[in-house]
Amino acid sequence: MEDMLFYDRLQFAFTITFHYIFPQLTMGLSLMIVYFKGKFLKTKIEKYNNAAKFFMKIFAINFTMGVVTGIPMEFQFGTNWAKFSELTGGIIGQTLAMEGMFSFFLESSFLALFIFGEKLMGQKLHFLTGFLVFLGSWASGWFILATNAWMQHPVGYEILDNGKYVLENFSALFTNPWLLPAFLHNQMASVVTSAFVMASIGAFYILRDKHSEYGHLFLKTGVIFGLISSVLVAFPTGDWNAKNVAKYQPGTFAAMEGIFETEEAGAEIVLIGQPNMVEKKLDNKIAVPNILSFLTYQEWHRQIPGMDQFKKEDLPDNIPALYYSYHIMVGLGTIFIAVMALALFFLWRKKLYTIKSLLWTIMFLVPFPYIANITGWYTAELGRQPYLVYGLLRTSDGVSPTVSSGNTLFTLLGFVALYLLLGLLFLILVGKTINEGPTPKPH
Amino acid sequence: MELFWYIAIGIVLTVFFVLDGYDFGAGIIHLFFAKTEKDKEVITKSAGLFWDSNEVWLVAAGGMLFMAFPTFYASVFSGFYLPLIIVLWLIIFRAIGLEFRGQFKYDMWKAIWDKSFGLSSLLLALFFGIALGNIVRGVNLGSVENGVSVHEEHYFFLPLWNSSFSPLTDHPGVIDWFTIIIGVIAVVTLAIHGANWIILKTNSSINLKLKGVIFKLNIVLAVLTVFSLYVWQLVNPTSLDNFIHKPYLMVFPIIYLIGVIGLFFIKKIKKDSHAFMLSTLIIVGGITSSLASLFPVILPSINNVNGHLTIYNTSASTYGLSVAMIWGIIGFSLLLVYFIVQKILTAGKIDHMDYGH
Ligand code: HDD
Ligand code: HEM
Ligand code: HEM
């Protein structure tokens, strides 16, 4: 039984982590492609159209990966989490089915047209199909976050005698106070990823002195989008999410901030420190007094409950992982703002394209927005533990009753092998596209 | 309400098999008949342009099942755990075969992805047929042993096969001789459908030859259909009761028959789209007949301790189903619009459309 839960969780964590590598670029990049395409419509400068088409190629490869790794996600609710699906399907099935109906259909109906139909449709229609693809992918984020928001902070439900959750108020699913902040934060974070990818490709072209006209365009656009989105990720959206966690999941909040003991006179904010679960304290801590109380409640001396106030079985089961995930996300967010602000400053002084060290930094920063996004989700998901539906349904009560751990281990290994292959192919193909560059081939 | 969603999901699933069916079929034809590079490319393209928007119908059907019949979704997806995960892997291989083939010009690269596309299309068609076979045969719900359920009454787990390969034991596997027959029927049907699609949408050099292939496959299909009716009786003696009690349900098998009979005249049919319509009828008739023979059961129990799963004992709350009906109707209307726009823009032969990256 214990094993079964462990492998199911591992498989879910592995497959969702791999899936989420792709949609974050899909969502952010679709916005930036629409931006280039719109700019082309307005200025009629061919360069912008070529830029849009170049990122479309990367987008297409990325999208395929997102789709093929997304389909297993939807099925896994039934295969590995049958009990959870049975009990809550009447509610989270709503948002998941709406995602299929309103966003996947939209996205996939117009994607092939957008990629292959430029000549067929003319520029205006082509822009429109691009815009619809963007709309579809953001709608998809909205519905999946509505699903997740219900698991984090259940609303609009009723529990029947047989333990089933049934929907009592449909609109509550979308006015859930958890949803809007999470959605905005998540979407901004996906713009961060795509802006960094774009800036990195730009820096690469400039450093290699190849396609440098596009290098300049990509770097500039990437830096501007990158700075705006990095700031928005931290404030107001990140801050808003943190307040929600403090309000609705106080135990999680204590664990992710690393507050072992309640301080009467207001909570300190921990910058660095390692949780020591045996002695229940942070080792090597560097902290600033009272800031956390202020950031969370705008009151210097407001008391924030520490982990000592909660029963052990109601606290997240992996506190160090939660604490580190959260601090890595926030730490990286701070670094992103700093680097992008610096780059923008030199862009303004017209020096950016010649500062080698900064260009190298931007080029190699590419994995970090992915890490920040994934640790962000780990914060949310590990923080929700030990519940599947916060406060109501425990994770251990959600697994499939008839699927043995041997089967799950077998399929987990299969997914690992297959996804390694997919990851390798993805890198090869994107590398090839970048290497060929955005200049159209003469026919 | 249950009935509305049953029919809606039935339609979505049928549309999925009609649409993705032609690109599964194109994969099967590709595997056995495409010899020249030009044909291979054009057949890949005839599937590659559309597979994604076709597969969404499967995703949508999954989401709707989850929403409307959560108990059924949970029971079936965990019970058919292994075959389902294998289907997921095959879907991945098929999609990357289609998408990645054109990325490099090396022959070996292309050959790998051609096989990946062709073989996984073949196996998927087989597995979908086997799945249908399992549903109409029924499973040992609650895993009854010596007259007592070892699980809750609506859960089960099927191994891939048991050593007897017989559907008539208490614990049949996913693959037995009955489900294999249904699987082969699915492969043959989709191959016919795919061949029709290729003829309709491309100018490939094998189009003429494919008409002969369709004719021969159609003979196989007719023989297998008659045979399967006989064995189905053996496996599930009540399989025809619904048709006897509600004779109007006979329209579904008749749709199937029209398709099969019509395709015997394939060489005389002037318009390619008419031939394509006929294979569409076979798929529509086949799926609806199977569903109609079970109705309102959606998963029969083969033991007599636990009852069948029906649309009534597995559904979500009435309130949930009725709000979903409202957005469902809005969604379907939008969908119709996208579908029409897409079909208008991609009408005609696709040889001249851009493809490859
Ligand atoms: C580029 C990625 C990125 C960056 C730089 C940040 N975040 Fe974040 N964060 C995410 C990407 C992300 C995410 C992946 O988008 C999450 C996961 C769930 C969600 O809705 O958004 C998230 C969740 C998330 C949560 C919710 C945790 C939960 O649900 O339990 C909080 C409180 C924060 N973030 C706070 C911050 C703060 C204060 C940041 C300050 C810089 C910050 N994030 C930077
Ligand atoms: C894409 C970003 C996401 C990531 C990286 C992520 C990560 C994780 C991780 C790491 C776990 C395992 C938790 C543990 O072992 O304690 C998990 C579990 C789970 N998550 Fe997420 N998650 C994401 C999004 C979602 C969304 C959007 C949903 C809901 C629709 C969801 C539903 C679940 C479920 C059902 C489990 C299994 C039960 C559990 O162990 O908590 N996840 N996720
Ligand atoms: C457990 C949770 C999840 C499930 C069940 C899921 C399911 C799916 C499915 C089935 C697809 C393929 C759709 C198609 O056929 O076109 C897909 C793609 C996609 N998913 Fe997920 N997904 C999950 C998590 C997420 C998260 C957390 C996000 C973003 C916030 C997300 C955003 C997207 C987007 C934008 C796409 C389409 C583009 C692409 O795939 O690159 N998904 N997802």
Side-chain angles (χ1 to χ4, degrees):
Chain A
M1 185 69 204
E2 278 293 295
D3 275 15
M4 196 157 111
L5 181 60
F6 174 74
Y7 289 126
D8 279 319
R9 288 177 65 178
L10 199 60
Q11 174 158 328
F12 201 94
F14 175 72
T15 49
I16 185 75
T17 303
F18 197 77
H19 174 58
Y20 199 60
I21 293 174
F22 306 104
Q24 55 178 301
L25 190 65
T26 300
M27 293 186 296
L29 207 53
S30 61
L31 175 71
M32 300 180 73
I33 292 174
V34 169
Y35 164 79
F36 277 138
K37 194 77 207 179
K39 194 116 186 189
F40 167 67
L41 273 187
K42 240 167 101 186
T43 62
K44 299 276 181 279
I45 300 174
E46 205 48 47
K47 184 171 76 170
Y48 293 116
N49 202 27
N50 291 339
K53 282 198 278 193
F54 170 71
F55 281 105
M56 239 153 65
K57 285 186 211 157
I58 296 180
F59 182 91
I61 303 167
N62 188 67
F63 186 85
T64 307
M65 306 292 283
V67 171
V68 299
T69 55
I71 297 174
M73 292 320 309
E74 179 176 328
F75 283 59
Q76 259 180 67
F77 283 121
T79 51
N80 296 41
W81 303 95
K83 206 69 212 172
F84 167 64
S85 304
E86 183 194 348
L87 297 177
T88 64
I91 296 177
I92 65 168
Q94 294 271 347
T95 42
L96 285 173
M98 288 179 85
E99 181 182 17
M101 204 78 213
F102 292 103
S103 46
F104 292 151
F105 271 120
L106 184 63
E107 237 181 325
S108 62
S109 303
F110 292 102
L111 182 71
L113 286 172
F114 185 55
I115 296 178
F116 305 117
E118 189 186 354
K119 275 183 258 160
L120 209 65
M121 294 183 300
Q123 292 304 334
K124 286 230 175 74
L125 271 180
H126 193 232
F127 171 81
L128 187 68
T129 51
F131 182 75
L132 291 174
V133 170
F134 155 74
L135 205 67
S137 72
W138 281 51
S140 155
W142 169 258
F143 287 115
I144 203 81
L145 279 153
T147 312
N148 191 263
W150 188 80
M151 294 166 66
Q152 300 283 359
H153 178 59
V155 289
Y157 65 92
E158 194 185 343
I159 304 178
L160 301 182
D161 294 338
N162 58 10
K164 284 198 183 164
Y165 293 64
V166 294
L167 191 61
E168 203 205 25
N169 181 352
F170 176 72
S171 55
L173 294 180
F174 297 98
T175 51
N176 188 342
W178 197 281
L179 173 56
L180 188 63
F183 174 69
L184 293 177
H185 186 67
N186 189 61
Q187 298 313 97
M188 283 309 116
S190 75
V191 177
V192 173
T193 300
S194 55
F196 275 63
V197 167
M198 188 174 287
S200 162
I201 297 175
F204 172 67
Y205 286 160
I206 296 172
L207 286 170
R208 265 188 62 191
D209 207 7
K210 230 182 136 185
H211 315 295
S212 12
E213 184 195 358
Y214 292 98
H216 291 178
L217 176 65
F218 295 169
L219 184 61
K220 185 174 138 195
T221 316
V223 166
I224 293 173
F225 272 86
L227 182 63
I228 297 174
S229 54
S230 299
V231 171
L232 290 177
V233 154
F235 192 87
T237 65
D239 173 54
W240 195 3
N241 267 317
K243 285 180 177 149
N244 260 346
V245 179
K247 186 157 156 201
Y248 299 113
Q249 299 185 353
T252 306
F253 190 69
M256 89 194 191
E257 298 282 0
I259 315 170
F260 282 94
E261 277 164 39
T262 316
E263 284 168 63
E264 295 298 332
E268 59 188 15
I269 193 155
V270 178
L271 301 179
I272 295 180
Q274 294 99 37
N276 179 337
M277 295 312 291
V278 181
E279 292 171 33
K280 300 223 182 306
K281 69 178 189 58
L282 286 172
D283 293 336
N284 313 319
K285 171 170 81 169
I286 301 180
V288 192
N290 294 5
I291 298 284
L292 187 62
S293 293
F294 181 74
L295 283 179
T296 316
Y297 294 105
Q298 282 75 45
E299 289 169 38
W300 294 104
H301 295 289
R302 170 82 178 237
Q303 181 188 332
I304 292 184
M307 283 179 263
D308 51 354
Q309 307 253 338
F310 300 92
K311 286 207 280 301
K312 187 169 180 298
E313 65 269 23
D314 293 334
L315 281 175
D317 48 14
N318 196 340
I319 292 169
L322 171 61
Y323 167 90
Y324 284 123
S325 298
Y326 181 62
H327 282 79
I328 289 171
M329 166 177 66
V330 175
L332 285 175
T334 319
I335 295 173
F336 296 160
I337 297 177
V339 175
M340 284 297 164
L342 197 67
L344 192 70
F345 173 74
F346 286 115
L347 187 71
W348 172 59
R349 301 293 304 270
K350 303 211 168 22
K351 278 198 206 140
L352 178 61
Y353 304 137
T354 53
I355 305 179
K356 286 255 160 71
S357 55
L358 193 54
L359 292 177
W360 279 98
T361 310
I362 291 177
M363 188 168 94
F364 279 114
L365 220 51
V366 130
F368 292 96
Y370 285 98
I371 295 174
N373 265 295
I374 286 169
T375 48
W377 274 105
Y378 279 30
T379 311
E381 302 293 305
L382 292 168
R384 193 190 61 218
Q385 300 301 321
Y387 295 102
L388 266 175
V389 180
Y390 192 77
L392 298 172
L393 178 66
R394 284 182 184 269
T395 309
S396 51
D397 298 331
V399 290
S400 300
T402 57
V403 178
S404 69
S405 54
N407 285 309
T408 320
L409 180 60
F410 167 72
T411 55
L412 171 63
L413 292 174
F415 275 114
V416 170
L418 190 54
Y419 283 7
L420 276 176
L421 175 74
L422 283 183
L424 193 68
L425 284 168
F426 176 75
L427 290 178
I428 293 175
L429 294 177
V430 170
K432 166 189 164 255
T433 312
I434 293 174
N435 199 34
E436 282 172 357
T439 324
K441 282 186 226 111
H443 279 285
Chain B
M1 252 336 119
E2 285 90 354
L3 199 60
F4 172 85
W5 280 103
Y6 174 73
I7 294 172
I9 295 169
I11 292 175
V12 172
L13 261 182
T14 311
V15 174
F16 164 70
F17 281 110
V18 169
L19 293 178
D20 227 18
Y22 69 65
D23 57 58
F24 287 135
I28 301 171
I29 298 292
H30 185 286
L31 186 65
F32 293 113
F33 298 102
K35 298 284 184 261
T36 66
E37 165 63 21
K38 185 123 195 58
D39 287 343
K40 286 184 187 166
E41 195 184 309
V42 91
I43 293 176
T44 311
K45 195 203 293 189
S46 76
L49 283 172
F50 304 104
W51 72 268
D52 179 35
S53 47
N54 295 343
E55 217 131 279
V56 190
W57 291 86
L58 179 66
V59 175
M64 288 164 142
L65 264 185
F66 194 177
M67 183 275 300
F69 304 105
T71 307
F72 175 72
Y73 172 88
S75 163
V76 164
F77 278 47
S78 62
F80 295 129
Y81 184 81
L82 291 171
L84 255 168
I85 302 268
I86 293 171
V87 162
L88 291 173
W89 293 344
L90 289 171
I91 286 179
I92 294 178
F93 274 114
R94 212 175 81 90
I96 60 178
L98 282 167
E99 291 290 319
F100 293 169
R101 173 185 202 275
Q103 293 275 359
F104 287 102
K105 300 268 173 283
Y106 312 116
D107 289 341
M108 218 170 129
W109 171 270
K110 287 184 182 163
I112 292 172
W113 297 121
D114 280 343
K115 286 283 170 299
S116 168
F117 164 50
L119 276 177
S120 40
S121 296
L122 176 74
L123 289 174
L124 274 169
L126 186 68
F127 262 102
F128 280 126
I130 288 177
L132 185 65
N134 273 281
I135 301 266
V136 296
R137 179 202 61 206
V139 300
N140 188 3
L141 277 176
S143 289
V144 173
E145 271 159 27
N146 307 324
V148 277
S149 302
V150 284
H151 297 299
E152 285 169 72
E153 63 200 15
H154 50 273
Y155 281 108
F156 65 96
F157 185 84
L158 283 197
L160 279 177
W161 55 75
N162 78 18
S163 50
S164 68
F165 284 99
S166 164
L168 301 169
T169 64
D170 295 343
H171 292 276
V174 172
I175 300 173
D176 62 36
W177 54 256
F178 173 70
T179 59
I180 294 255
I181 293 172
I182 307 287
V184 174
I185 291 182
V187 172
V188 174
T189 310
L190 296 187
I192 293 175
H193 194 50
N196 272 327
W197 175 253
I198 294 170
I199 297 173
L200 177 66
K201 295 302 274 189
T202 76
N203 292 315
S204 82
S205 69
I206 53 171
N207 276 0
L208 221 77
K209 185 173 154 202
L210 283 182
K211 293 203 176 173
V213 171
I214 293 175
F215 185 78
K216 284 183 207 139
L217 284 177
N218 202 37
I219 299 176
V220 178
L221 180 62
V223 173
L224 278 177
T225 304
V226 176
F227 182 63
S228 73
L229 279 181
Y230 166 70
V231 287
W232 192 4
Q233 272 296 312
L234 290 182
V235 172
N236 184 350
T238 59
S239 59
L240 294 183
D241 289 6
N242 262 348
F243 295 109
I244 295 166
H245 296 308
K246 304 191 187 83
Y248 57 87
L249 290 178
M250 283 306 288
V251 291
F252 300 121
I254 290 172
I255 293 177
Y256 183 87
L257 269 183
I258 295 176
V260 177
I261 295 172
L263 275 181
F264 278 116
F265 300 97
I266 175 91
K267 290 184 182 152
K268 300 220 179 60
I269 297 173
K270 289 276 167 340
K271 286 190 83 167
D272 297 337
S273 57
H274 291 169
F276 182 72
M277 281 315 296
L278 288 172
S279 51
T280 304
L281 290 183
I282 300 184
I283 297 177
V284 172
I287 295 173
T288 48
S289 308
S290 320
L291 291 180
S293 87
L294 295 177
F295 182 84
V297 174
I298 38 184
L299 186 67
S301 161
I302 57 169
N303 58 56
N304 37 29
V305 178
N306 297 316
H308 307 312
L309 295 188
T310 70
I311 60 172
Y312 302 108
N313 65 16
T314 58
S315 64
S317 70
T318 314
Y319 170 72
L321 291 181
S322 24
V323 273
M325 187 172 82
I326 299 171
W327 62 250
I329 290 173
I330 300 173
F332 270 115
S333 330
L334 281 174
L335 194 60
L336 213 59
V337 176
Y338 309 152
F339 191 72
I340 293 169
V341 171
Q342 197 198 20
K343 287 299 155 207
I344 292 175
L345 287 173
T346 57
K349 304 263 181 188
I350 46 99
D351 298 56
H352 300 296
M353 280 187 74
D354 287 339
Y355 185 63
H357 303 280

